[in-house]
Amino acid sequence: MAIPDDIKVMDVDVLVIGGGTAGPMAAVTAKEKNPDASVMLLEKANVKRSGAISMGMDGLNNAVVPGHSTPEDYVKEITIANDGILLQKGVMAYAQRSYSMIQKLDKWGVYFQKDETGEFDMKKVHHLGTYVLPMPEGHNVKKILYRRLRRHRVKVENRYQAIRLLKDEAGVVSGCIALGTRDAEVIVVRAKAVIMCSGAAGRIGLPASGYLFGTYENPSNCGDGHSMAYHVGAELTGLECYQINPLLKDYNGPACAYVTGPLGGYTANAKGDRFIECDYWSGQMMMEFYNELQGGNGPVFLKLDHLAEETIQEIEHVLHTNERPSRGRFHDGRGTDYRTKMVEMHISEIGFCAGHSASGVWINEKGETSVPGLYGAGDMASIPHSYMLGAFVYGEICGENAVEFARERDVPKLDEDYIIAERDRILAPLKRTDGIPPSQFEYKVRRLVNDYLQPPKVSKKMDIGLARIRAMENDIPYLYARDPHELLRANEAQHIFDCAQMAAVASLYRQESRWGLYHNYVDHPETDNENWFCHVQLFKGENDNMTCRKREVEPYVVELDDEEKNAYQQLRVQAG
Amino acid sequence: MPTASQISMVPVVVDDDKCIADKGCRTCIDVCPLDVLWINEETGKAHMKYDECWYCMPCEADCPTDAVTVNIPYLLS
């Protein structure tokens, strides 16, 4: 059977899915490594302003800069922050390239704060080491990346949502099927290697405001990559280690302790008192935050009202021009002035994000997923606490390795039957004349996630939640889209539906508590290192059942002493 | 299954007097990560067609004529 004329097929050597942070770096690196290779960057929005850093970034959270810390120090810090469950080699690969990546970005024109001697102006926010490098003028990062894409003649295709990965008879990834978000055009990109950089799954839970798009993450990062990886047979890991972040209540953007902390701001309770030793985000820190929110001293606030006028102006400049610049507008609307009022904080809805926690598509230190020919980088891939700089570094690693993989490979064969069946499935909501709008379907899944899957996790609740979410499988044949935009949302909603099930299945599998609030499992309240010092891998098992297995933690490359191991367990400010 | 439409107040406001979409400008429409800004067929100007906003502001920041204002969505303002 041939591929029908209405499906355009494009051929490239390396396909990068997602043009936010890791994606452009992966594409540029692949072209640098092999200028003869054809490299396509497929983006659901527009690479000029897509992804988590569409408006830039206000600082590096994990800069490993000589003189301030070593890669070994950093690996230790993240090992502790992640309760020991991590691929240390993967974090080490990041740490060893961290400084050279900063230098590369500096050379490209990204502005990092420097002190009077011209050295990077490092700040301490983490529990042990010094890793924060402010970027007060970091709003132009995307422009700089875009210039690089142009210079290296990366082929950019905007406004296509990748929906399913393709693989050949040998099980090697051979491209993807994608949907034009403005015209519902179905295309196939045949590729010898694929790098997924599709961001966090930030639309699993429902924000407290009830506004579907008022999420912590850029809501275009809805778990497309997680769903695609799952359906092509790749393993995901640590999904029970949810991302939950502290943020400005209702606004749902970061309060930015990393920006305000070095300037004297801190997280406080209703009495204005500090209750945590360290504002670096970890599950343990979030547990203390949650306890304070729920307790008699709540809610929780960002406290800046004790700071000098010039300090407050500096904070306002950084926070109101970078990353989430509408923060200032939000405060104005409520009459909140940092000078006179503490700012109410809350915790985010749950999500999967390796940038801040550890959940995502499994990759190793080469950026390889468990499926040959498929690479992953950034918030979607599993290297923990990697933030923006980790996305850049793994974008680089994946770009190098994927282009080499492609060099050795012939043009793969396409599975026409699968492609035709997928086209029909993807377009089906547009063919109907009535039914369930994607927004209602999505709201229901995400409301069930909040009701049943948020921590504190309880077996019976999660069982009910999983059963009710799974029952929505019966609703999918009724999804109804009136135009291509709604069709995009209908396909996103199905990826969210997949991710919601993954959150439940992985959480039910790990029968212990770990990572503070992230996996606070009430039925199994203790951490059980004897049985659960392991990764939980999730994959499509026999009969297409969502299945989990344990994966051993690989031997450490950096050992920790006992005192260090407990550092993140003692985050509450001691009385007296 | 029958459906009904409901209206909602949208956060992105475009000043039709300043907007030059009718002259071919597509800047705000191009940069929106959620693809919610479209041409209003009646006026030829840009407008927010879908209430799905991250109040992220590239539309406002990149507009060459300062025609776009991003407000905080009502539900969370």
Side-chain angles (χ1 to χ4, degrees), chain A residues 46 49 55 159 182 211 215 217-219 251 324 326 329-330 334 434-435 483 485 489, chain B residues 1 3 29-35 50-56 60 62 70 76-77:
Chain A
N46 185 310
R49 288 292 199 180
M55 288 298 278
R159 304 291 173 191
R182 288 179 175 172
Y211 189 64
T215 45
E217 294 288 345
N218 182 330
Y251 179 78
R324 301 301 310 275
S326 55
R329 211 156 285 184
F330 172 75
R334 291 188 173 191
D434 60 18
D483 60 28
H485 181 81
R489 296 287 180 246
Chain B
M1 275 173 290
T3 56
I29 292 170
D30 279 350
V31 296
C32 176
L34 293 159
D35 210 10
Y50 305 92
D51 180 18
E52 300 167 338
C53 184
W54 196 44
Y55 36 103
C56 56
E60 179 180 317
D62 295 350
V70 177
L76 46 114
S77 66

mmCIF file of all heavy atoms in Angstrom, chain A residues 46 49 55 159 182 211 215 217-219 251 324 326 329-330 334 434-435 483 485 489, chain B residues 1 3 29-35 50-56 60 62 70 76-77:
data_model
loop_
_atom_site.group_PDB
_atom_site.id
_atom_site.type_symbol
_atom_site.label_atom_id
_atom_site.label_comp_id
_atom_site.label_asym_id
_atom_site.label_seq_id
_atom_site.Cartn_x
_atom_site.Cartn_y
_atom_site.Cartn_z
ATOM 1 N N ASN A 46 5.881 28.752 17.452
ATOM 2 C CA ASN A 46 6.862 29.363 16.562
ATOM 3 C C ASN A 46 8.167 29.480 17.327
ATOM 4 O O ASN A 46 8.174 30.013 18.444
ATOM 5 C CB ASN A 46 6.363 30.759 16.127
ATOM 6 C CG ASN A 46 7.275 31.400 15.101
ATOM 7 O OD1 ASN A 46 8.483 31.470 15.286
ATOM 8 N ND2 ASN A 46 6.709 31.860 14.004
ATOM 9 N N ARG A 49 9.336 32.305 19.755
ATOM 10 C CA ARG A 49 8.813 32.572 21.100
ATOM 11 C C ARG A 49 8.151 31.328 21.683
ATOM 12 O O ARG A 49 7.043 31.406 22.213
ATOM 13 C CB ARG A 49 7.757 33.676 21.030
ATOM 14 C CG ARG A 49 8.284 35.066 20.761
ATOM 15 C CD ARG A 49 9.096 35.597 21.911
ATOM 16 N NE ARG A 49 9.221 37.059 21.850
ATOM 17 C CZ ARG A 49 9.891 37.761 22.744
ATOM 18 N NH1 ARG A 49 10.498 37.160 23.753
ATOM 19 N NH2 ARG A 49 9.961 39.068 22.644
ATOM 20 N N MET A 55 9.906 34.208 27.026
ATOM 21 C CA MET A 55 10.251 35.592 27.381
ATOM 22 C C MET A 55 11.606 35.660 28.080
ATOM 23 O O MET A 55 11.894 36.600 28.820
ATOM 24 C CB MET A 55 9.171 36.198 28.266
ATOM 25 C CG MET A 55 7.868 36.505 27.546
ATOM 26 S SD MET A 55 8.027 37.719 26.202
ATOM 27 C CE MET A 55 7.974 39.259 27.128
ATOM 28 N N ARG A 159 4.309 25.478 13.763
ATOM 29 C CA ARG A 159 2.873 25.172 13.806
ATOM 30 C C ARG A 159 2.548 23.767 13.329
ATOM 31 O O ARG A 159 1.576 23.547 12.608
ATOM 32 C CB ARG A 159 2.068 26.207 13.012
ATOM 33 C CG ARG A 159 2.281 27.649 13.451
ATOM 34 C CD ARG A 159 1.720 27.988 14.792
ATOM 35 N NE ARG A 159 2.120 29.348 15.199
ATOM 36 C CZ ARG A 159 1.931 29.819 16.429
ATOM 37 N NH1 ARG A 159 1.377 29.085 17.374
ATOM 38 N NH2 ARG A 159 2.318 31.055 16.717
ATOM 39 N N ARG A 182 -2.936 24.845 12.076
ATOM 40 C CA ARG A 182 -3.830 25.876 11.528
ATOM 41 C C ARG A 182 -4.641 25.373 10.345
ATOM 42 O O ARG A 182 -5.603 26.028 9.933
ATOM 43 C CB ARG A 182 -3.012 27.090 11.086
ATOM 44 C CG ARG A 182 -2.480 27.860 12.269
ATOM 45 C CD ARG A 182 -1.655 29.045 11.842
ATOM 46 N NE ARG A 182 -1.265 29.824 13.023
ATOM 47 C CZ ARG A 182 -0.411 30.825 12.975
ATOM 48 N NH1 ARG A 182 0.147 31.179 11.838
ATOM 49 N NH2 ARG A 182 -0.105 31.479 14.072
ATOM 50 N N TYR A 211 -8.505 27.944 35.693
ATOM 51 C CA TYR A 211 -8.269 28.362 34.301
ATOM 52 C C TYR A 211 -7.325 27.350 33.651
ATOM 53 O O TYR A 211 -6.189 27.185 34.092
ATOM 54 C CB TYR A 211 -7.663 29.769 34.299
ATOM 55 C CG TYR A 211 -7.562 30.426 32.938
ATOM 56 C CD1 TYR A 211 -8.706 30.739 32.215
ATOM 57 C CD2 TYR A 211 -6.333 30.749 32.395
ATOM 58 C CE1 TYR A 211 -8.620 31.357 30.972
ATOM 59 C CE2 TYR A 211 -6.227 31.373 31.157
ATOM 60 C CZ TYR A 211 -7.386 31.674 30.450
ATOM 61 O OH TYR A 211 -7.279 32.286 29.223
ATOM 62 N N THR A 215 -1.381 27.576 33.910
ATOM 63 C CA THR A 215 -0.513 26.563 34.510
ATOM 64 C C THR A 215 0.835 27.143 34.896
ATOM 65 O O THR A 215 1.237 28.200 34.413
ATOM 66 C CB THR A 215 -0.268 25.421 33.517
ATOM 67 O OG1 THR A 215 0.014 25.982 32.233
ATOM 68 C CG2 THR A 215 -1.485 24.539 33.411
ATOM 69 N N GLU A 217 3.721 25.635 34.044
ATOM 70 C CA GLU A 217 4.491 25.475 32.808
ATOM 71 C C GLU A 217 3.798 26.214 31.667
ATOM 72 O O GLU A 217 2.585 26.426 31.696
ATOM 73 C CB GLU A 217 4.583 23.993 32.420
ATOM 74 C CG GLU A 217 5.363 23.128 33.380
ATOM 75 C CD GLU A 217 6.861 23.377 33.339
ATOM 76 O OE1 GLU A 217 7.341 24.012 32.380
ATOM 77 O OE2 GLU A 217 7.545 22.952 34.279
ATOM 78 N N ASN A 218 4.557 26.546 30.643
ATOM 79 C CA ASN A 218 3.948 26.997 29.399
ATOM 80 C C ASN A 218 2.958 25.911 28.973
ATOM 81 O O ASN A 218 3.340 24.761 28.752
ATOM 82 C CB ASN A 218 5.041 27.172 28.335
ATOM 83 C CG ASN A 218 4.493 27.694 27.011
ATOM 84 O OD1 ASN A 218 3.350 27.442 26.650
ATOM 85 N ND2 ASN A 218 5.310 28.412 26.284
ATOM 86 N N PRO A 219 1.675 26.262 28.852
ATOM 87 C CA PRO A 219 0.675 25.207 28.622
ATOM 88 C C PRO A 219 0.795 24.504 27.266
ATOM 89 O O PRO A 219 0.155 23.461 27.078
ATOM 90 C CB PRO A 219 -0.660 25.940 28.748
ATOM 91 C CG PRO A 219 -0.358 27.381 28.761
ATOM 92 C CD PRO A 219 1.081 27.590 29.073
ATOM 93 N N TYR A 251 -1.563 33.574 40.189
ATOM 94 C CA TYR A 251 -0.743 33.919 39.017
ATOM 95 C C TYR A 251 -0.067 32.667 38.487
ATOM 96 O O TYR A 251 0.069 32.459 37.287
ATOM 97 C CB TYR A 251 0.302 34.975 39.388
ATOM 98 C CG TYR A 251 1.185 35.343 38.219
ATOM 99 C CD1 TYR A 251 0.716 36.206 37.242
ATOM 100 C CD2 TYR A 251 2.461 34.805 38.086
ATOM 101 C CE1 TYR A 251 1.508 36.534 36.152
ATOM 102 C CE2 TYR A 251 3.262 35.131 37.004
ATOM 103 C CZ TYR A 251 2.777 35.992 36.045
ATOM 104 O OH TYR A 251 3.563 36.307 34.963
ATOM 105 N N ARG A 324 8.511 35.583 33.279
ATOM 106 C CA ARG A 324 7.060 35.799 33.376
ATOM 107 C C ARG A 324 6.791 37.277 33.695
ATOM 108 O O ARG A 324 6.428 37.637 34.798
ATOM 109 C CB ARG A 324 6.452 34.905 34.471
ATOM 110 C CG ARG A 324 6.642 33.414 34.306
ATOM 111 C CD ARG A 324 6.070 32.854 33.004
ATOM 112 N NE ARG A 324 4.690 33.245 32.713
ATOM 113 C CZ ARG A 324 3.609 32.638 33.176
ATOM 114 N NH1 ARG A 324 3.723 31.616 33.979
ATOM 115 N NH2 ARG A 324 2.404 33.032 32.831
ATOM 116 N N SER A 326 4.481 39.352 33.168
ATOM 117 C CA SER A 326 3.178 39.889 33.569
ATOM 118 C C SER A 326 2.964 39.830 35.080
ATOM 119 O O SER A 326 1.922 40.248 35.577
ATOM 120 C CB SER A 326 2.038 39.180 32.828
ATOM 121 O OG SER A 326 2.095 37.796 33.009
ATOM 122 N N ARG A 329 2.049 43.217 36.468
ATOM 123 C CA ARG A 329 0.670 43.560 36.144
ATOM 124 C C ARG A 329 -0.306 42.862 37.099
ATOM 125 O O ARG A 329 -1.302 43.421 37.515
ATOM 126 C CB ARG A 329 0.421 43.098 34.711
ATOM 127 C CG ARG A 329 -0.538 43.902 33.975
ATOM 128 C CD ARG A 329 -0.303 43.781 32.494
ATOM 129 N NE ARG A 329 0.869 44.529 32.025
ATOM 130 C CZ ARG A 329 1.209 44.619 30.743
ATOM 131 N NH1 ARG A 329 0.496 43.985 29.829
ATOM 132 N NH2 ARG A 329 2.260 45.309 30.388
ATOM 133 N N PHE A 330 0.012 41.619 37.396
ATOM 134 C CA PHE A 330 -0.811 40.843 38.334
ATOM 135 C C PHE A 330 -0.820 41.531 39.703
ATOM 136 O O PHE A 330 -1.874 41.729 40.314
ATOM 137 C CB PHE A 330 -0.251 39.431 38.440
ATOM 138 C CG PHE A 330 -0.888 38.576 39.505
ATOM 139 C CD1 PHE A 330 -2.154 38.035 39.320
ATOM 140 C CD2 PHE A 330 -0.209 38.294 40.686
ATOM 141 C CE1 PHE A 330 -2.743 37.249 40.297
ATOM 142 C CE2 PHE A 330 -0.786 37.497 41.662
ATOM 143 C CZ PHE A 330 -2.062 36.980 41.470
ATOM 144 N N ARG A 334 -3.987 43.748 41.992
ATOM 145 C CA ARG A 334 -4.448 43.451 43.354
ATOM 146 C C ARG A 334 -3.941 44.462 44.368
ATOM 147 O O ARG A 334 -4.153 44.294 45.566
ATOM 148 C CB ARG A 334 -3.934 42.077 43.770
ATOM 149 C CG ARG A 334 -4.589 40.968 42.987
ATOM 150 C CD ARG A 334 -4.208 39.623 43.542
ATOM 151 N NE ARG A 334 -4.988 38.600 42.872
ATOM 152 C CZ ARG A 334 -5.050 37.345 43.274
ATOM 153 N NH1 ARG A 334 -4.381 36.961 44.344
ATOM 154 N NH2 ARG A 334 -5.783 36.471 42.621
ATOM 155 N N ASP A 434 -21.036 16.828 15.960
ATOM 156 C CA ASP A 434 -21.250 17.229 17.344
ATOM 157 C C ASP A 434 -20.495 16.256 18.248
ATOM 158 O O ASP A 434 -19.869 15.313 17.759
ATOM 159 C CB ASP A 434 -22.741 17.298 17.705
ATOM 160 C CG ASP A 434 -23.440 15.959 17.540
ATOM 161 O OD1 ASP A 434 -22.749 14.915 17.474
ATOM 162 O OD2 ASP A 434 -24.677 15.938 17.481
ATOM 163 N N GLY A 435 -20.559 16.489 19.561
ATOM 164 C CA GLY A 435 -19.851 15.599 20.478
ATOM 165 C C GLY A 435 -19.255 16.350 21.644
ATOM 166 O O GLY A 435 -19.748 17.418 22.027
ATOM 167 N N ASP A 483 -12.763 23.204 14.273
ATOM 168 C CA ASP A 483 -11.754 23.788 13.377
ATOM 169 C C ASP A 483 -10.384 23.178 13.716
ATOM 170 O O ASP A 483 -10.256 22.431 14.690
ATOM 171 C CB ASP A 483 -11.750 25.324 13.500
ATOM 172 C CG ASP A 483 -11.442 25.808 14.916
ATOM 173 O OD1 ASP A 483 -10.741 25.076 15.656
ATOM 174 O OD2 ASP A 483 -11.890 26.907 15.290
ATOM 175 N N HIS A 485 -7.774 24.387 15.045
ATOM 176 C CA HIS A 485 -7.269 24.747 16.365
ATOM 177 C C HIS A 485 -7.867 23.832 17.431
ATOM 178 O O HIS A 485 -7.168 23.347 18.329
ATOM 179 C CB HIS A 485 -7.598 26.208 16.664
ATOM 180 C CG HIS A 485 -7.088 26.678 17.988
ATOM 181 N ND1 HIS A 485 -5.788 27.058 18.188
ATOM 182 C CD2 HIS A 485 -7.688 26.785 19.196
ATOM 183 C CE1 HIS A 485 -5.615 27.403 19.456
ATOM 184 N NE2 HIS A 485 -6.767 27.239 20.088
ATOM 185 N N ARG A 489 -6.222 20.944 20.079
ATOM 186 C CA ARG A 489 -6.563 20.755 21.492
ATOM 187 C C ARG A 489 -7.085 19.333 21.756
ATOM 188 O O ARG A 489 -6.826 18.764 22.823
ATOM 189 C CB ARG A 489 -7.600 21.785 21.938
ATOM 190 C CG ARG A 489 -7.120 23.232 21.879
ATOM 191 C CD ARG A 489 -6.116 23.558 22.975
ATOM 192 N NE ARG A 489 -5.687 24.941 22.881
ATOM 193 C CZ ARG A 489 -4.435 25.336 22.578
ATOM 194 N NH1 ARG A 489 -3.479 24.454 22.379
ATOM 195 N NH2 ARG A 489 -4.134 26.609 22.497
ATOM 196 N N MET B 1 -24.378 14.183 20.212
ATOM 197 C CA MET B 1 -24.554 14.981 21.429
ATOM 198 C C MET B 1 -24.591 16.457 21.098
ATOM 199 O O MET B 1 -23.621 16.990 20.542
ATOM 200 C CB MET B 1 -23.402 14.701 22.394
ATOM 201 C CG MET B 1 -23.648 13.475 23.248
ATOM 202 S SD MET B 1 -22.195 13.065 24.219
ATOM 203 C CE MET B 1 -21.082 12.494 22.927
ATOM 204 N N THR B 3 -24.437 20.542 21.410
ATOM 205 C CA THR B 3 -23.488 21.431 22.098
ATOM 206 C C THR B 3 -24.081 22.835 22.225
ATOM 207 O O THR B 3 -25.030 23.175 21.514
ATOM 208 C CB THR B 3 -22.167 21.553 21.313
ATOM 209 O OG1 THR B 3 -22.457 22.000 19.995
ATOM 210 C CG2 THR B 3 -21.432 20.230 21.237
ATOM 211 N N ILE B 29 0.381 37.257 15.931
ATOM 212 C CA ILE B 29 -0.183 35.947 15.578
ATOM 213 C C ILE B 29 0.939 34.915 15.460
ATOM 214 O O ILE B 29 0.805 33.766 15.886
ATOM 215 C CB ILE B 29 -0.979 36.082 14.257
ATOM 216 C CG1 ILE B 29 -2.222 36.943 14.507
ATOM 217 C CG2 ILE B 29 -1.342 34.717 13.687
ATOM 218 C CD1 ILE B 29 -2.952 37.356 13.251
ATOM 219 N N ASP B 30 2.068 35.355 14.911
ATOM 220 C CA ASP B 30 3.207 34.441 14.748
ATOM 221 C C ASP B 30 3.822 34.018 16.079
ATOM 222 O O ASP B 30 4.231 32.875 16.234
ATOM 223 C CB ASP B 30 4.312 35.109 13.907
ATOM 224 C CG ASP B 30 4.015 35.011 12.421
ATOM 225 O OD1 ASP B 30 3.080 34.266 12.060
ATOM 226 O OD2 ASP B 30 4.705 35.682 11.636
ATOM 227 N N VAL B 31 3.920 34.954 17.013
ATOM 228 C CA VAL B 31 4.701 34.637 18.208
ATOM 229 C C VAL B 31 3.890 33.959 19.318
ATOM 230 O O VAL B 31 4.466 33.424 20.256
ATOM 231 C CB VAL B 31 5.418 35.885 18.790
ATOM 232 C CG1 VAL B 31 6.432 36.414 17.800
ATOM 233 C CG2 VAL B 31 4.435 36.956 19.227
ATOM 234 N N CYS B 32 2.581 33.957 19.229
ATOM 235 C CA CYS B 32 1.777 33.401 20.322
ATOM 236 C C CYS B 32 2.031 31.899 20.475
ATOM 237 O O CYS B 32 1.785 31.134 19.553
ATOM 238 C CB CYS B 32 0.292 33.631 20.082
ATOM 239 S SG CYS B 32 -0.723 32.845 21.344
ATOM 240 N N PRO B 33 2.522 31.472 21.647
ATOM 241 C CA PRO B 33 2.824 30.050 21.816
ATOM 242 C C PRO B 33 1.572 29.173 21.782
ATOM 243 O O PRO B 33 1.657 27.987 21.496
ATOM 244 C CB PRO B 33 3.489 29.953 23.187
ATOM 245 C CG PRO B 33 3.580 31.311 23.730
ATOM 246 C CD PRO B 33 2.885 32.265 22.824
ATOM 247 N N LEU B 34 0.419 29.756 22.062
ATOM 248 C CA LEU B 34 -0.796 28.946 22.120
ATOM 249 C C LEU B 34 -1.679 29.131 20.893
ATOM 250 O O LEU B 34 -2.750 28.540 20.799
ATOM 251 C CB LEU B 34 -1.555 29.265 23.406
ATOM 252 C CG LEU B 34 -0.726 28.789 24.612
ATOM 253 C CD1 LEU B 34 -1.134 29.491 25.879
ATOM 254 C CD2 LEU B 34 -0.828 27.288 24.775
ATOM 255 N N ASP B 35 -1.223 29.967 19.953
ATOM 256 C CA ASP B 35 -1.925 30.153 18.685
ATOM 257 C C ASP B 35 -3.366 30.602 18.881
ATOM 258 O O ASP B 35 -4.276 30.104 18.203
ATOM 259 C CB ASP B 35 -1.884 28.852 17.861
ATOM 260 C CG ASP B 35 -1.915 29.134 16.356
ATOM 261 O OD1 ASP B 35 -1.773 30.312 15.971
ATOM 262 O OD2 ASP B 35 -2.084 28.177 15.570
ATOM 263 N N TYR B 50 -9.465 32.600 20.902
ATOM 264 C CA TYR B 50 -9.687 31.526 21.868
ATOM 265 C C TYR B 50 -9.198 31.985 23.242
ATOM 266 O O TYR B 50 -8.116 32.563 23.348
ATOM 267 C CB TYR B 50 -8.907 30.256 21.461
ATOM 268 C CG TYR B 50 -9.218 29.779 20.062
ATOM 269 C CD1 TYR B 50 -8.451 30.207 18.978
ATOM 270 C CD2 TYR B 50 -10.291 28.917 19.823
ATOM 271 C CE1 TYR B 50 -8.735 29.772 17.693
ATOM 272 C CE2 TYR B 50 -10.580 28.479 18.534
ATOM 273 C CZ TYR B 50 -9.795 28.914 17.474
ATOM 274 O OH TYR B 50 -10.080 28.486 16.203
ATOM 275 N N ASP B 51 -9.986 31.711 24.267
ATOM 276 C CA ASP B 51 -9.612 32.137 25.626
ATOM 277 C C ASP B 51 -8.685 31.084 26.236
ATOM 278 O O ASP B 51 -9.080 30.307 27.101
ATOM 279 C CB ASP B 51 -10.877 32.328 26.474
ATOM 280 C CG ASP B 51 -10.546 32.763 27.894
ATOM 281 O OD1 ASP B 51 -9.418 33.232 28.129
ATOM 282 O OD2 ASP B 51 -11.412 32.615 28.775
ATOM 283 N N GLU B 52 -7.444 31.068 25.736
ATOM 284 C CA GLU B 52 -6.468 30.060 26.190
ATOM 285 C C GLU B 52 -5.121 30.764 26.330
ATOM 286 O O GLU B 52 -4.231 30.594 25.515
ATOM 287 C CB GLU B 52 -6.363 28.933 25.153
ATOM 288 C CG GLU B 52 -7.673 28.213 24.909
ATOM 289 C CD GLU B 52 -7.646 27.329 23.668
ATOM 290 O OE1 GLU B 52 -6.812 27.542 22.765
ATOM 291 O OE2 GLU B 52 -8.482 26.414 23.600
ATOM 292 N N CYS B 53 -4.983 31.597 27.350
ATOM 293 C CA CYS B 53 -3.862 32.532 27.430
ATOM 294 C C CYS B 53 -2.946 32.178 28.589
ATOM 295 O O CYS B 53 -3.404 31.843 29.680
ATOM 296 C CB CYS B 53 -4.406 33.953 27.624
ATOM 297 S SG CYS B 53 -3.149 35.239 27.623
ATOM 298 N N TRP B 54 -1.637 32.285 28.339
ATOM 299 C CA TRP B 54 -0.646 32.075 29.411
ATOM 300 C C TRP B 54 -0.123 33.420 29.903
ATOM 301 O O TRP B 54 0.845 33.455 30.640
ATOM 302 C CB TRP B 54 0.492 31.189 28.914
ATOM 303 C CG TRP B 54 1.355 30.611 29.995
ATOM 304 C CD1 TRP B 54 0.945 30.057 31.170
ATOM 305 C CD2 TRP B 54 2.792 30.517 30.001
ATOM 306 N NE1 TRP B 54 2.027 29.618 31.889
ATOM 307 C CE2 TRP B 54 3.166 29.886 31.202
ATOM 308 C CE3 TRP B 54 3.785 30.904 29.088
ATOM 309 C CZ2 TRP B 54 4.505 29.637 31.527
ATOM 310 C CZ3 TRP B 54 5.113 30.655 29.407
ATOM 311 C CH2 TRP B 54 5.466 30.020 30.612
ATOM 312 N N TYR B 55 -0.758 34.522 29.453
ATOM 313 C CA TYR B 55 -0.332 35.872 29.832
ATOM 314 C C TYR B 55 1.201 35.983 29.819
ATOM 315 O O TYR B 55 1.808 36.544 30.733
ATOM 316 C CB TYR B 55 -0.935 36.285 31.193
ATOM 317 C CG TYR B 55 -1.081 35.190 32.238
ATOM 318 C CD1 TYR B 55 -0.187 35.093 33.317
ATOM 319 C CD2 TYR B 55 -2.083 34.243 32.151
ATOM 320 C CE1 TYR B 55 -0.299 34.092 34.253
ATOM 321 C CE2 TYR B 55 -2.194 33.232 33.080
ATOM 322 C CZ TYR B 55 -1.301 33.166 34.124
ATOM 323 O OH TYR B 55 -1.412 32.150 35.051
ATOM 324 N N CYS B 56 1.799 35.478 28.716
ATOM 325 C CA CYS B 56 3.267 35.400 28.650
ATOM 326 C C CYS B 56 3.867 36.631 27.996
ATOM 327 O O CYS B 56 5.039 36.911 28.190
ATOM 328 C CB CYS B 56 3.711 34.127 27.942
ATOM 329 S SG CYS B 56 3.061 33.885 26.289
ATOM 330 N N GLU B 60 2.486 41.288 23.059
ATOM 331 C CA GLU B 60 2.580 42.705 23.417
ATOM 332 C C GLU B 60 4.002 43.233 23.197
ATOM 333 O O GLU B 60 4.200 44.297 22.617
ATOM 334 C CB GLU B 60 2.179 42.886 24.891
ATOM 335 C CG GLU B 60 2.265 44.328 25.340
ATOM 336 C CD GLU B 60 1.859 44.517 26.809
ATOM 337 O OE1 GLU B 60 0.856 43.905 27.233
ATOM 338 O OE2 GLU B 60 2.552 45.279 27.519
ATOM 339 N N ASP B 62 6.372 42.203 21.207
ATOM 340 C CA ASP B 62 6.881 42.215 19.837
ATOM 341 C C ASP B 62 6.047 43.066 18.878
ATOM 342 O O ASP B 62 6.450 43.297 17.741
ATOM 343 C CB ASP B 62 6.968 40.777 19.297
ATOM 344 C CG ASP B 62 7.997 39.933 20.070
ATOM 345 O OD1 ASP B 62 8.751 40.523 20.861
ATOM 346 O OD2 ASP B 62 8.040 38.711 19.879
ATOM 347 N N VAL B 70 -1.796 42.845 27.175
ATOM 348 C CA VAL B 70 -2.094 41.560 27.819
ATOM 349 C C VAL B 70 -2.575 41.841 29.239
ATOM 350 O O VAL B 70 -1.844 42.385 30.054
ATOM 351 C CB VAL B 70 -0.852 40.653 27.863
ATOM 352 C CG1 VAL B 70 -1.168 39.352 28.600
ATOM 353 C CG2 VAL B 70 -0.351 40.365 26.463
ATOM 354 N N LEU B 76 -8.099 34.464 37.356
ATOM 355 C CA LEU B 76 -6.991 34.496 38.308
ATOM 356 C C LEU B 76 -6.532 35.905 38.657
ATOM 357 O O LEU B 76 -5.571 36.070 39.396
ATOM 358 C CB LEU B 76 -5.822 33.643 37.804
ATOM 359 C CG LEU B 76 -5.386 33.794 36.372
ATOM 360 C CD1 LEU B 76 -3.992 34.380 36.320
ATOM 361 C CD2 LEU B 76 -5.387 32.440 35.703
ATOM 362 N N SER B 77 -7.218 36.906 38.149
ATOM 363 C CA SER B 77 -6.762 38.282 38.401
ATOM 364 C C SER B 77 -7.066 38.702 39.838
ATOM 365 O O SER B 77 -7.869 38.088 40.506
ATOM 366 C CB SER B 77 -7.427 39.257 37.444
ATOM 367 O OG SER B 77 -8.811 39.309 37.703
#
